[in-house]
Amino acid sequence: MNLILLSPEDIENDHLARVRDPRRLAHLTEVHRARAGDVMTLGIANGRLGRGALLTLDEREAVFDVSGLDQAPPPPLPVHLVLALPRPRMLARTLEHVTALGVKELTLLNTRRVEKSYWQSPELGDDKIRRHLVLGLEQARDTRLPTVTLAKGFRPFVEDRLPALLAGRQGLLAHPGMAEACPRGVETPTLLVVGPEGGFIPWEVERLLATGCRGIHLGPRILRVETAVTALLSRLF
Amino acid sequence: MNLILLSPEDIENDHLARVRDPRRLAHLTEVHRARAGDVMTLGIANGRLGRGALLTLDEREAVFDVSGLDQAPPPPLPVHLVLALPRPRMLARTLEHVTALGVKELTLLNTRRVEKSYWQSPELGDDKIRRHLVLGLEQARDTRLPTVTLAKGFRPFVEDRLPALLAGRQGLLAHPGMAEACPRGVETPTLLVVGPEGGFIPWEVERLLATGCRGIHLGPRILRVETAVTALLSRLF
């Protein structure tokens, strides 16, 4: 935790916040070895961040002075990431990576090569997803929670939702063998589509291109999804 | 495995290779569900790659036709990566990531914030390291094994080895708060230095800069080492 992320329920007034959940209390005690008087980096979910003192800490709660939180969170990436649902363990890590990198809009998409069982995973529960997003924010010292949308049908997503998402955004489909190399240093709002392990099937590629995405590639190397997503975001933005 | 990596011991002659280790045999049977006659992507360690038929497969061995391996492996990144030794679990993943991305020279460095116990980890055994490098090559369809060097003293590395490594290479030190943003699309041979979780201490930063490295940053977000390394390599090259 490079930042203690406070949720709205933690905030008592303009000056005080109380943290009571076991995860953050344990982290404060065991990892930070925090003591009353320590000044730490604090942030309010979807709000400002800055330095603030830990006023008291016991096994029940930690009380922080939040009167000095005067910084805006770091700028988000101008991207809506559409990612074929990864297998559960990789989903957890990928949610943390992309949140730390500054993604604020994420759609998890069904495709032919996504195993059906992945949609039953407890990792897709709201609480589980939120937990990984919070870990990513705490890592990167950010406060703005991404929104995560589940798109359980490929065709309905492409036909009903993709055209509206592409209004005002360039659409990029990352897929091996496409003609164009991944561009660098993009500032235009972008929708980035990344397939599953094993890739999109040709029909899916065709539908995404026909709906207005441009195909891009990252070179001849085949990367795991979590590596590819980080590589694409870092090269693009 | 997007490529079956054959070691020199597997090669019987210009036409035949025999794979006998349980890991690859199990992968062929259980993941690829391979059968005699299947044509697969094969590569010879530090040599050529291409398509070749699986001639026979039983519980003892797989025999491949290697007469058609006529492609060069993908180009390496022009980088020597100097990485503060990560904790064992992250080391394993990072070795796979950086190998898949095309790093061929890697030095694992001791720094003040590397826990001493990490140097005792079984993950640093030659066989363990090689296993993760091979997984990275198999993922990326590459055949050239990286060389991994352990530098167990920071000062001897910086004083005795770094000057020679910087002959003919630009040295870049990735560290939060440095003045210059990470450059993009570099083709010059580069030595890239990345610190541990928690960062280099000021004295280490000063020594690296004084020895000829330029400081670069990736923005205000603090990334985990494995994310930062992938992000740096993808943005630089």
Side-chain angles (χ1 to χ4, degrees):
Chain A
M1 288 206 293
N2 295 308
L3 166 138
I4 315 292
L5 191 68
L6 305 164
S7 60
E9 309 88 72
D10 299 330
I11 309 295
E12 188 157 303
N13 58 43
D14 286 353
H15 296 275
L16 291 183
R18 292 179 199 274
V19 165
R20 289 178 165 146
D21 65 292
R23 179 184 73 90
R24 286 178 297 170
L25 285 178
H27 197 95
L28 282 166
T29 314
E30 289 156 28
V31 180
H32 285 282
R33 300 178 191 276
R35 298 170 62 170
D38 288 357
V39 175
M40 318 185 73
T41 302
L42 313 174
I44 298 173
N46 297 313
R48 304 186 80 73
L49 57 97
R51 305 280 289 170
L54 176 61
L55 301 174
T56 65
L57 174 65
D58 58 32
E59 61 284 355
R60 201 175 47 89
E61 67 173 15
V63 182
F64 291 99
D65 174 0
V66 294
S67 56
L69 309 190
D70 56 359
Q71 297 164 39
L77 296 184
V79 69
H80 186 128
L81 177 63
V82 178
L83 182 65
L85 181 66
R87 63 189 147 85
R89 268 188 58 195
M90 192 171 288
L91 171 65
R93 287 212 300 269
T94 303
L95 288 172
E96 292 181 38
H97 291 322
V98 305
T99 303
L101 288 162
V103 170
K104 297 300 171 197
E105 295 169 282
L106 175 62
T107 295
L108 296 170
L109 178 63
N110 193 45
T111 77
R112 178 73 70 86
R113 295 205 179 113
V114 170
E115 284 189 27
K116 284 201 175 58
S117 64
Y118 296 173
W119 291 104
Q120 313 308 324
S121 164
E123 291 292 335
L124 281 177
D126 285 348
D127 283 359
K128 284 286 189 107
I129 285 184
R130 190 187 151 92
R131 193 175 136 224
H132 293 296
L133 303 179
V134 166
L135 288 171
L137 293 178
E138 290 173 343
Q139 169 65 41
R141 287 201 183 141
D142 193 359
T143 65
R144 277 182 267 201
L145 276 161
T147 56
V148 178
T149 309
L150 307 186
K152 297 189 184 179
F154 180 85
R155 189 193 284 259
F157 172 77
V158 171
E159 291 179 1
D160 305 337
R161 293 170 49 197
L162 186 54
L165 290 172
L166 289 176
R169 287 189 185 91
Q170 67 172 341
L172 299 179
L173 164 63
H175 187 66
M178 295 285 108
E180 185 187 346
C182 175
R184 295 175 187 272
V186 164
E187 292 178 9
T188 347
T190 298
L191 179 129
L192 173 65
V193 188
V194 180
E197 300 288 333
F200 287 112
I201 62 170
W203 178 82
E204 290 166 341
V205 171
E206 187 192 290
R207 293 314 308 146
L208 289 164
L209 296 177
T211 311
C213 294
R214 268 156 60 206
I216 60 168
H217 70 81
L218 266 180
R221 298 175 176 280
I222 303 175
L223 301 176
R224 291 171 68 160
V225 165
E226 59 174 332
T227 319
V229 168
T230 300
L232 286 160
L233 293 171
S234 311
R235 188 171 294 197
L236 279 169
F237 304 108
Chain B
M1 289 205 293
N2 294 307
L3 165 136
I4 316 293
L5 190 68
L6 305 164
S7 60
E9 309 87 74
D10 299 331
I11 309 296
E12 187 158 305
N13 58 42
D14 286 353
H15 296 275
L16 290 184
R18 290 178 199 275
V19 165
R20 288 178 164 145
D21 66 290
R23 181 184 71 91
R24 286 178 297 170
L25 286 177
H27 197 95
L28 282 166
T29 313
E30 288 156 27
V31 180
H32 284 284
R33 301 179 191 275
R35 298 170 63 170
D38 287 357
V39 175
M40 317 184 75
T41 302
L42 312 174
I44 299 172
N46 297 312
R48 304 186 79 74
L49 58 95
R51 305 280 288 170
L54 174 61
L55 301 174
T56 65
L57 173 66
D58 58 34
E59 62 282 356
R60 200 174 47 88
E61 66 172 17
V63 182
F64 291 99
D65 173 0
V66 294
S67 56
L69 308 191
D70 57 359
Q71 297 165 39
L77 297 185
V79 70
H80 186 127
L81 177 63
V82 178
L83 182 65
L85 181 65
R87 63 188 147 84
R89 268 188 59 197
M90 193 172 287
L91 171 65
R93 288 213 298 269
T94 303
L95 288 172
E96 292 181 38
H97 290 321
V98 304
T99 303
L101 288 162
V103 170
K104 297 299 171 197
E105 294 169 284
L106 175 63
T107 296
L108 297 170
L109 178 64
N110 192 45
T111 77
R112 178 73 71 84
R113 294 205 179 114
V114 170
E115 286 189 25
K116 283 201 177 55
S117 64
Y118 297 174
W119 290 103
Q120 313 308 325
S121 164
E123 289 293 335
L124 281 178
D126 285 348
D127 282 0
K128 283 287 188 103
I129 286 184
R130 191 188 150 91
R131 192 175 138 224
H132 293 295
L133 303 180
V134 166
L135 287 171
L137 293 178
E138 289 173 345
Q139 169 64 42
R141 286 200 183 144
D142 192 357
T143 65
R144 277 183 269 200
L145 276 161
T147 56
V148 178
T149 308
L150 307 186
K152 297 188 184 179
F154 180 83
R155 189 194 284 260
F157 173 77
V158 170
E159 292 179 0
D160 304 337
R161 292 171 47 198
L162 185 55
L165 290 171
L166 289 176
R169 288 189 184 90
Q170 67 172 341
L172 299 178
L173 164 63
H175 187 67
M178 295 284 108
E180 185 187 344
C182 176
R184 295 175 187 273
V186 163
E187 292 179 10
T188 346
T190 298
L191 179 129
L192 173 66
V193 188
V194 181
E197 300 289 333
F200 287 111
I201 61 170
W203 178 81
E204 290 166 342
V205 171
E206 188 192 290
R207 293 315 307 147
L208 290 163
L209 296 178
T211 312
C213 293
R214 267 158 58 208
I216 60 168
H217 71 81
L218 266 179
R221 298 176 175 279
I222 303 175
L223 302 176
R224 291 171 69 159
V225 165
E226 60 175 331
T227 319
V229 168
T230 300
L232 286 160
L233 293 171
S234 311
R235 188 171 295 196
L236 279 169
F237 305 108

